[in-house]
Amino acid sequence: MNNLALIKKELWSEEKVINAVLGDKEKTIKFLATAYKVATSNNLKDCSIASIREACVNIATLNLSLSPALQQVYLVPYKAKIGGKYTKVVQMIISARGYNALLARFGWSLKYFVVREGDKFSYKLENFDEKIEYERNLDSDGKLKYAVAMAKAPNGELFIEVMNKAQIEKHRKVSPMQGEKPSGVWANWYNEMALKTAVKKLAKKLPLNEEIAEAVYKDDKEIIPEQEQKIEEQVEQTSLNDLLLEDDEVEVEETEIKNEGDQNE
């Protein structure tokens, strides 16, 4: 059985679980078809099959779409160096649009944008009220200064998160997959990742339910399933058991994330 056939087998083995979550047979089949298409793309087809399967189950549990057209969530490949060899696994990344979809289910409104050099921007705190003034300089295409995320509760209460470039960089460098200079998705889609970072930080402090908390927890998590070794033996690939050891060296594999734009609609 080749790698593509194994990917399909592993994904469809979770059909009952995904159907129980989505509650619709047709929707489940559509989700699995999209998952298979994404999982067998050039960037992912050689990744750990078990990590692909688990990431897809996580996405279904959150009721988000893997459709490239919606850009709600991405599966990002990266390489883990083990004993001098590299093994490709995947990481689930929820985009700012994905968080927007999650928050909208509970009546929240989300807005996010980047502030560039040359734009007019101020952030003020008056007692318990947060206020933002922003004017985009349409004649300037300056470098990113801030990533801003705003959420409005059903009762009208406003929550704001503003991150400057230094704070964004500090967050980026926490990842073992990032070095002094941006690499992988951060190198190719810096503004999009900066926006997602601000939105995720904002989501952590919102008075939301367990579903959003679960999304924040799963977002950016490394996918290293317990059954990894058993499945990898079927395709004669390196076991991922050593990934659980400390001080493993990790390197990002480049992937494609479509531009969400400087500001959501």
Side-chain angles (χ1 to χ4, degrees), residues 132-155:
I132 278 182
E133 293 182 0
Y134 170 59
E135 184 178 339
R136 173 77 183 275
N137 184 349
L138 298 178
D139 296 321
S140 173
D141 193 23
K143 296 181 180 179
L144 179 147
K145 288 184 66 177
Y146 309 106
V148 183
M150 307 167 63
K152 183 183 288 187
N155 64 3

Side-chain angles (χ1 to χ4, degrees), residues 138-234:
L138 298 178
D139 296 321
S140 173
D141 193 23
K143 296 181 180 179
L144 179 147
K145 288 184 66 177
Y146 309 106
V148 183
M150 307 167 63
K152 183 183 288 187
N155 64 3
E157 186 176 4
L158 188 65
F159 296 81
I160 299 174
E161 184 64 45
V162 180
M163 297 183 71
N164 61 29
K165 183 68 177 290
Q167 292 171 318
I168 294 168
E169 278 292 284
K170 183 178 180 180
H171 170 88
R172 179 185 67 79
K173 292 177 182 178
V174 167
S175 171
M177 296 179 286
Q178 292 293 316
E180 191 62 29
K181 295 183 178 180
S183 61
V185 292
W186 277 95
N188 295 327
W189 306 98
Y190 192 95
N191 286 0
E192 287 74 19
M193 291 299 292
L195 285 173
K196 168 257 167 52
T197 300
V199 170
K200 181 178 178 179
K201 188 174 181 182
L202 173 66
K204 288 182 177 180
K205 64 184 184 183
L206 299 181
L208 296 169
N209 67 359
E210 186 177 347
E211 183 175 353
I212 303 298
E214 182 182 7
V216 172
Y217 174 77
K218 290 180 177 179
D219 189 19
D220 284 346
K221 284 288 183 181
E222 297 177 6
I223 307 294
I224 306 175
E226 295 179 359
Q227 298 181 17
E228 185 62 43
Q229 183 177 15
K230 179 179 178 181
I231 294 175
E232 292 303 309
E233 285 174 351
Q234 297 179 52

Side-chain angles (χ1 to χ4, degrees), residues 13 23 81 103 105 150 186 233 252 261:
S13 71
K81 191 174 184 181
L103 291 171
R105 295 175 196 168
M150 307 167 63
W186 277 95
E233 285 174 351
V252 166

Side-chain angles (χ1 to χ4, degrees), residues 15 36 46 55-56 68 102 107 111 127 131 141-142 177 185 187-188 193 201 219 251 259-260:
E15 181 179 358
Y36 177 75
D46 295 325
C56 289
L102 288 168
K111 192 174 187 65
N127 295 321
K131 295 183 179 180
D141 193 23
M177 296 179 286
V185 292
N188 295 327
M193 291 299 292
K201 188 174 181 182
D219 189 19
E251 178 179 308
N259 196 335
E260 294 184 357

